[in-house]
Amino acid sequence: MGQRILVALGGNAILHPGQRGWAHEQMENLKETARALAVVAQEGHDLVLTHGNGPQVGSLLIQQAMASAVVPPWPLDFCDAASQGLIGYMIQQTLGAELEARGVERQVVSVVTRVRVDPDDPAFTHPTKPVGPFYDAEEAARGQARGEAWVHEAGRGWRRVVPSPEPVEILELDAVRRLLDGGAIPVAVGGGGVPVVRTAEGRLDGVEAVIDKDLASSLLARALGMDRFLILTDVDQVYRDYATPHRRPLPRLTPGEADVLLSEGQLAAGSMGPKVRAAAAFARSGGVAHIGALAQVEAILAGRAGTWIAAS
């Protein structure tokens, strides 16, 4: 019997390290991704897909900076929405073609998804999420004069940082659920979703922020009542002491054990930490979460690869 599986695609599913981001590069990478996902769909499982968008938003910001003399720049929420549409289209093209070739009658549908965040989230007073490329001190000073937060990294330059608030509510949840129940494969909360806040007047306004993709994906998986939550990345599983010669693979974790790893600082805040936190939150809801490499999807679901996170 098929299960309902939410698959969170990491950036390597769309753009490999060292690539420039040409359209043909991204489409070729997604063709590989599509082949792996199509096998899962062909086995009778229902899928919901989410994805990262960091390189694509970075490209938009570079394009805007270079054309700012003739084209007004977009706010970050516009860039988030644009990248959702772009990546969603590429997934529809590649996965749709792969499913058709296999005789699997599933429609892939992208949803530009807004995710509500709390305007009082502490992240808004402590921006930490880097966006865009590195610049020199002069450009950073101009950004700071506009009220932006910038940080310096020795040897690389200055980079803008924005808040990364916790996801609270997925506003297009009912639409995603109807698509899933109707047999489609929805693509949602791309890049963590477009962050919006509810104003005192009841209006929803976009904000300059980036929501962690895996935390938003976990929230969506829990809200939809998915059976499994699969986070695909460029690391084959979770490790203790990862950056040392003594690293040890962790094929099985409970949510409590995951909490201990996080409290010990074992997992990098900008990479594996949010993934494990997202997976543990899903496991607490009664489902099974997995973290592993894209090329090992079938083995991960069968329990032969990756890290499983479950309550027991």
Side-chain angles (χ1 to χ4, degrees):
M1 181 177 176
Q3 294 186 310
R4 289 190 162 189
I5 305 171
L6 189 144
V7 180
L9 299 172
N12 64 310
I14 306 167
L15 193 64
H16 295 171
Q19 293 182 332
R20 292 189 60 192
W22 292 101
H24 71 270
E25 288 177 333
Q26 298 184 66
M27 290 296 282
E28 286 302 314
N29 295 338
L30 278 169
K31 285 178 183 177
E32 296 178 20
T33 301
R35 283 190 283 271
L37 295 176
V39 170
V40 179
Q42 195 170 22
E43 292 174 349
H45 301 298
D46 294 325
L47 297 177
V48 175
L49 306 180
T50 68
H51 59 80
N53 68 344
Q56 291 75 22
V57 168
S59 294
L60 285 171
L61 294 173
I62 293 171
Q63 291 167 7
Q64 292 185 130
M66 295 179 68
S68 60
V70 292
V71 180
W74 287 347
L76 192 53
D77 57 317
F78 276 43
C79 295
D80 287 334
S83 68
Q84 282 196 37
L86 167 64
I87 297 171
Y89 163 71
M90 292 193 293
I91 293 173
Q92 286 176 241
Q93 287 287 88
T94 53
L95 181 55
E98 186 66 29
L99 292 171
E100 185 177 358
R102 293 170 178 265
V104 180
E105 296 184 0
R106 297 279 187 90
Q107 192 170 21
V108 185
V109 182
S110 302
V111 181
V112 175
T113 316
R114 298 166 299 165
V115 176
R116 186 173 64 83
V117 299
D118 185 349
D120 296 322
D121 191 303
F124 284 108
T125 58
H126 296 90
T128 59
K129 182 68 175 179
V131 294
F134 286 92
Y135 288 98
D136 58 24
E138 185 177 344
E139 181 62 32
R142 282 195 289 266
Q144 290 168 334
R146 294 191 296 266
E148 298 169 355
W150 288 67
V151 295
H152 182 258
E153 184 174 328
R156 303 191 73 182
W158 290 83
R159 201 174 184 195
R160 184 185 172 196
V161 290
V162 298
S164 184
E166 294 284 315
V168 174
E169 178 186 9
I170 295 162
L171 298 179
E172 281 70 35
L173 175 64
D174 288 344
V176 175
R177 181 182 286 115
R178 286 195 295 270
L179 287 167
L180 178 63
D181 291 344
I185 298 177
V187 183
V189 298
V194 181
V196 298
V197 297
R198 180 80 67 180
T199 68
E201 297 77 25
R203 186 180 64 249
L204 288 166
D205 285 352
V207 291
E208 294 281 300
V210 173
I211 302 169
D212 182 85
K213 174 263 297 180
D214 295 308
L215 296 180
S217 299
S218 177
L219 178 61
L220 178 61
R222 284 175 277 145
L224 290 171
M226 305 299 285
D227 299 304
R228 298 201 192 187
F229 173 34
L230 178 53
I231 300 176
L232 298 180
T233 182
D234 55 358
V235 178
D236 61 344
Q237 61 185 297
V238 180
Y239 288 85
R240 173 178 283 279
D241 300 321
Y242 177 72
T244 75
H246 309 291
R247 75 176 192 172
R248 178 162 58 89
L250 300 171
R252 295 287 189 277
L253 288 172
T254 65
E257 290 168 339
D259 290 343
V260 171
L261 286 173
L262 290 163
S263 67
E264 291 175 348
Q266 280 282 333
L267 309 170
S271 55
M272 191 56 76
K275 289 174 172 49
V276 170
R277 188 155 72 91
F282 179 77
R284 282 194 174 89
S285 73
V288 179
H290 313 265
I291 299 174
L294 173 63
Q296 297 179 305
V297 170
E298 291 181 85
I300 292 169
L301 292 175
R304 300 192 305 272
T307 294
W308 280 43
I309 302 179
S312 60

